[in-house]
């Protein structure tokens, strides 16, 4: 997909109005700006967690917004019409919401949502006639920026000054101050266009950003401005260029604002108190009452809580010590998906140095995501029927923030995707070992023997051996009549797949599972791992534990809750 990166520059007659085309150009220019400034922004990221990824998170958030806007324009490509402003800004906000990454990316998504509420309404009004025209000019942009700042503050459980929130508020206030009185006493209201509004917003944001080290102690000690605010400044500069055609000099290619503090080279781990060990992010489908309960629950579990969205779809971000509990809170509130759990490291992410080694694991359910995260792994959730793309795996490898990464795809169908992701990460200088785990239970076995302290090659060999020594099975429901290695199955039959092949056809879950266990344990084994799906009762695990204990005295059994996974039961035998 081609993004119109230079659209504003190529047209000498850029209108001083934020219309659909200008929004498209804005997204593209913002993506370019964040691409140029990403490393600088990452380097000054010391709050709320010094994990060096704010620039990257903002880039990925805007990338998702830009792609959503392009999709709207693509839908009109074959006809004579063009998208209107309401459709375009709503697509931008929705794209940012579903692609938001990290604390600042999540807040930026809410800022764009706030702007879309006002711009969408005003865009419809302006299309409808005189009333909208009367409300035109820079007034609608000033109100959009105000709504954006308001919504962003409401989304953060405990707003802190000296952050992206402060910069957003300053931009909104500056745009409002530039607006002439309603009665036009000081001049012609028509002279107050979108160009004047965006210039004022950018200037106000820049002044506020320069003041952030004096508002937040950790920034002052490090000698940097707020990274999220710095990213927002780049986004606002892109807005100025999209509307007016003028690129603010502060973010011209190769330039740096002379009054901003230098990029921090190091950050003492003692600059901030120890914080939670995990960052948990997921999309959640639920209603307003569900979100209210979720906010209270997550606020009691951790910090840096940001919940953005609306109309049934939300993006949830929180830092916690108990990642599993944070995900379970989402399950209680609604339907969470695209779950991402990142382990900050031994010092809860406050050390700026990369970890020596990390593990990235693909898991089929949120229960295993929490389990693997607590074992120190960065996880990628594979939803039923929606395996992760190589880009998602590369992103997870980057988030692991380590020199060496062990990648566990945990699915035979992901072998090519994982190989492509590993190759891309290696090209970025990360040493990646791909262990060809074909099931989640093999990944659990590999994680169980993982020792970051030993040599990389030795650790990889040990993890590979543990995974290879684990036979795997799953119980699945047949979708249609078909031929299998075990005979003909009918739609609705239970299939017991061992090492990927159908070995048992049954009608009742417990009995089929017992038959599968007999087949697997006939060759011996020391440990049985059972991973139960969301709707499988605990009584099944109790029955299978008794069955193994009665028939195989020397075999132990462990049980985990997998959550919303495609198979009702996963089985591993080591």
């Amino acid at each position: 997909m081609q993004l119109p990166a230079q659209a504003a520059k190529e047209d000498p007659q850029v209108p001083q109005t934020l219309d659909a085309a200008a929004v498209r150009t804005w997204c593209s220019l913002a993506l370019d700006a964040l691409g140029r400034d990403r490393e600088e922004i990452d380097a000054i990221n010391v709050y709320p967690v010094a994990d060096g990824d704010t620039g990257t998170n903002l880039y990925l958030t805007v990338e998702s917004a830009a792609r959503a806007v392009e999709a709207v324009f693509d839908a009109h490509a074959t006809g004579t019409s063009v998208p209107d402003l309401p459709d375009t800004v709503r697509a931008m906000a929705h794209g940012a919401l579903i692609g938001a990454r990290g604390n600042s990316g999540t807040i930026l998504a809410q800022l764009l949502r706030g702007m879309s509420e006002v711009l969408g309404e005003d865009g419809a009004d302006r299309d409808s006639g005189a009333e909208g025209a009367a409300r035109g000019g820079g007034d609608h942009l000033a109100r959009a920026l105000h709504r954006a700042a308001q919504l962003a503050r409401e989304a953060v459980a405990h707003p802190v000054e000296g952050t992206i929130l402060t910069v957003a508020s300053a931009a909104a206030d500056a745009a409002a101050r530039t607006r002439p009185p309603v009665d036009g006493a000081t001049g012609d209201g028509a002279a107050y266009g979108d160009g004047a509004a965006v210039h004022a917003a950018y200037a106000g944001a820049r002044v506020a950003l320069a003041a952030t080290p004096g508002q937040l102690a950790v920034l002052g000690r490090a000698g940097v401005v707020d990274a999220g605010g710095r990213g927002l400044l780049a986004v606002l500069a892109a807005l100025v260029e999209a509307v007016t055609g003028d690129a603010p000099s502060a973010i011209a290619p190769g330039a740096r604002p002379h009054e901003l503090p230098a990029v921090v080279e190091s950050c003492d781990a003692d600059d901030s108190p120890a914080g939670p060990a995990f960052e948990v992010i997921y999309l959640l489908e639920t209603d307003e009452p569900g979100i209210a309960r979720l906010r209270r629950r997550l606020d009691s579990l951790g910090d840096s809580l940001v919940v953005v969205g609306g109309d049934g779809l939300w993006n949830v971000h929180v830092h916690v010590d108990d990642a599993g509990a944070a995900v379970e809170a989402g399950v209680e509130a609604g339907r969470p998906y695209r779950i991402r759990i990142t382990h900050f490291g031994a010092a809860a992410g406050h050390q700026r140095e990369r970890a020596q080694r990390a593990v990235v694991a693909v898991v089929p359910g949120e229960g295993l995501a929490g389990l693997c995260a607590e074992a120190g792994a960065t996880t990628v959730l594979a939803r039923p029927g929606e395996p992760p793309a190589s880009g998602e795996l590369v992103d997870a490898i980057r988030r692991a923030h380590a020199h060496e990464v062990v990648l566990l795809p945990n699915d035979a169908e992901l072998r090519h995707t994982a190989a492509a992701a590993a190759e891309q990460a290696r090209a970025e200088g990360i040493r990646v070992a791909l262990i060809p785990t074909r099931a989640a239970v093999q990944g659990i076995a590999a994680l169980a023997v993982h020792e970051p302290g030993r040599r990389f090659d030795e650790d990889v060999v040990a993890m590979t051996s543990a995974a290879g020594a684990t036979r795997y099975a799953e119980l699945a429901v047949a979708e249609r009549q078909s031929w299998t290695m075990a005979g003909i199955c009918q739609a609705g039959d239970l299939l017991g797949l061992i090492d990927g092949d159908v070995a048992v056809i049954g009608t009742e879950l417990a009995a089929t599972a017992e038959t599968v266990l007999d087949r697997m344990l006939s060759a011996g084994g020391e440990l049985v791992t059972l991973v139960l799906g969301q709707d499988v009762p605990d009584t099944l695990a109790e029955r299978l534990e008794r069955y193994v204990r009665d028939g195989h005295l020397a075999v132990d059994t462990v049980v985990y809750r997998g959550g919303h996974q495609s198979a009702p039961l996963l089985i591993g035998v080591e």
Side-chain angles (χ1 to χ4, degrees):
M1 175 173 53
Q2 184 70 32
L3 298 180
Q6 301 298 323
K9 294 180 181 179
E10 293 172 356
D11 183 359
Q13 301 298 323
V14 177
Q16 302 282 308
T17 301
L18 187 65
D19 56 11
V23 170
R24 183 189 196 191
T25 302
W26 175 26
C27 289
S28 179
L29 292 172
L31 191 62
D32 284 349
L34 290 170
R36 290 192 304 268
D37 296 342
R38 181 182 59 80
E39 291 184 359
E40 174 196 329
I41 297 171
D42 282 346
I44 64 173
N45 173 202
V46 298
Y47 181 85
V49 176
D51 48 358
D53 63 359
T54 292
T56 300
N57 288 336
L58 289 170
Y59 178 88
L60 293 170
T61 302
V62 172
E63 180 183 45
S64 183
R67 290 189 178 277
V69 169
E70 283 304 301
V72 171
F73 274 82
D74 288 345
H76 287 75
T78 57
T80 58
S81 65
V82 296
D84 59 18
L85 181 61
D87 285 346
T88 306
V89 293
R90 288 165 189 155
M92 173 184 66
H94 181 73
L97 175 68
I98 64 175
R101 306 295 179 93
N103 198 321
S104 294
T106 307
I107 293 173
L108 177 61
Q110 189 74 339
L111 288 169
L112 295 179
R113 178 181 177 83
M115 292 189 70
S116 75
E117 287 187 6
V118 174
L119 296 176
E121 293 174 359
D122 286 359
D125 288 342
R126 293 164 81 180
D127 288 342
S128 67
E131 179 186 354
R135 296 174 58 192
D139 179 70
H140 75 305
L141 254 176
R143 290 186 293 105
L145 290 167
H146 172 75
R147 180 58 175 160
Q150 178 187 36
L151 274 190
R153 284 186 177 271
E154 292 174 356
V156 177
H158 304 285
V160 174
E161 297 304 325
T163 65
I164 186 174
L165 297 175
T166 304
V167 177
S169 294
D173 291 344
R177 286 195 300 270
T178 306
R179 180 175 57 197
V182 174
D183 60 9
T186 62
D188 183 4
Y192 175 63
D194 289 352
V198 296
H199 271 298
Y202 175 79
R206 180 166 174 165
V207 170
L209 178 66
T212 56
Q215 295 174 291
L216 200 54
V218 64
L219 301 179
R221 288 195 295 271
V224 298
V225 295
D226 177 64
R230 174 66 182 88
L232 179 59
L233 188 68
V235 173
L236 290 173
L239 179 59
V240 172
E241 186 174 359
V243 172
T244 70
D246 300 325
S249 60
I251 62 165
R256 292 290 180 266
H258 66 275
E259 73 270 33
L260 299 186
V263 173
V264 64
E265 297 296 336
S266 64
C267 179
D268 191 335
D270 293 332
D271 278 352
S272 301
F278 301 101
E279 177 186 59
V280 178
I281 304 173
Y282 49 80
L283 292 178
L284 181 69
E285 293 179 356
T286 189
D287 53 16
E288 293 281 354
I291 279 296
R293 293 191 299 271
L294 179 69
R295 287 180 189 273
R296 292 191 294 270
R297 175 63 176 143
L298 292 181
D299 196 26
S300 69
L301 288 175
D303 59 30
S304 296
L305 173 60
V306 184
V307 181
V308 304
D311 302 322
L313 180 63
W314 308 81
N315 191 306
V316 180
H317 170 282
V318 69
H319 294 173
V320 293
D321 281 320
D322 189 343
V327 175
E328 288 171 7
V331 174
E332 293 171 0
R335 188 177 79 88
Y337 59 98
R338 292 196 186 180
I339 300 170
R340 296 190 296 273
I341 301 175
T342 303
H343 188 265
F344 286 134
H350 293 293
Q351 295 182 0
R352 296 198 55 76
E353 294 299 322
R354 284 182 177 271
Q356 183 59 35
R357 189 174 311 153
V359 176
V360 172
V362 180
V363 291
E366 63 276 358
L368 289 184
L371 174 70
C372 292
E374 289 171 7
T378 296
T379 62
V380 178
L381 187 68
R383 296 180 63 197
E386 296 182 25
S390 61
E392 293 180 72
L393 299 185
V394 174
D395 180 35
I397 292 171
R398 292 173 182 147
R399 285 189 289 119
H401 204 59
H403 296 289
E404 303 167 339
V405 173
V406 180
L407 178 58
L408 304 173
N410 296 337
D411 187 339
E413 298 299 322
L414 286 177
R415 60 188 184 281
H416 297 309
T417 301
E423 190 62 32
Q424 183 176 341
R426 291 179 190 124
E428 298 177 8
I430 305 172
R431 189 180 184 189
V432 181
L434 171 59
I435 297 178
T437 48
R438 304 178 66 188
V441 289
Q442 289 186 321
I444 293 172
L447 264 178
V449 300
H450 168 54
E451 291 185 15
R454 63 185 164 200
R455 292 178 59 247
F456 185 61
D457 292 341
E458 294 176 354
D459 198 31
V460 171
V461 169
M463 295 177 71
T464 302
S465 298
T470 302
R471 300 190 68 195
Y472 62 94
E474 68 173 89
L475 269 66
V477 178
E479 296 181 357
R480 64 184 67 87
Q481 183 188 63
S482 61
W483 290 86
T484 75
M485 295 183 65
I488 300 175
C489 70
Q490 304 297 324
D493 282 347
L494 282 166
L495 306 179
L497 291 84
I498 299 178
D499 296 336
D501 296 322
V502 177
V504 178
I505 299 175
T507 58
E508 197 268 326
L509 186 60
T512 306
E514 289 172 352
T515 303
V516 169
L517 283 168
D518 283 339
R519 297 277 188 93
M520 298 180 75
L521 289 170
S522 64
E526 298 177 356
L527 177 67
V528 170
T529 300
L530 303 175
V531 181
L532 278 61
Q534 178 70 25
D535 299 323
V536 176
D538 291 333
T539 53
L540 175 67
E542 295 167 0
R543 172 173 168 173
L544 295 180
E545 283 185 285
R546 285 196 304 271
Y547 187 81
V548 172
R549 185 171 58 249
D550 293 343
H552 306 273
L553 297 179
V555 179
D556 294 325
T557 304
V558 293
V559 179
Y560 301 114
R561 275 286 177 186
H564 292 280
Q565 58 190 34
S566 57
L569 180 65
L570 305 177
I571 301 174
V573 174
E574 299 177 47

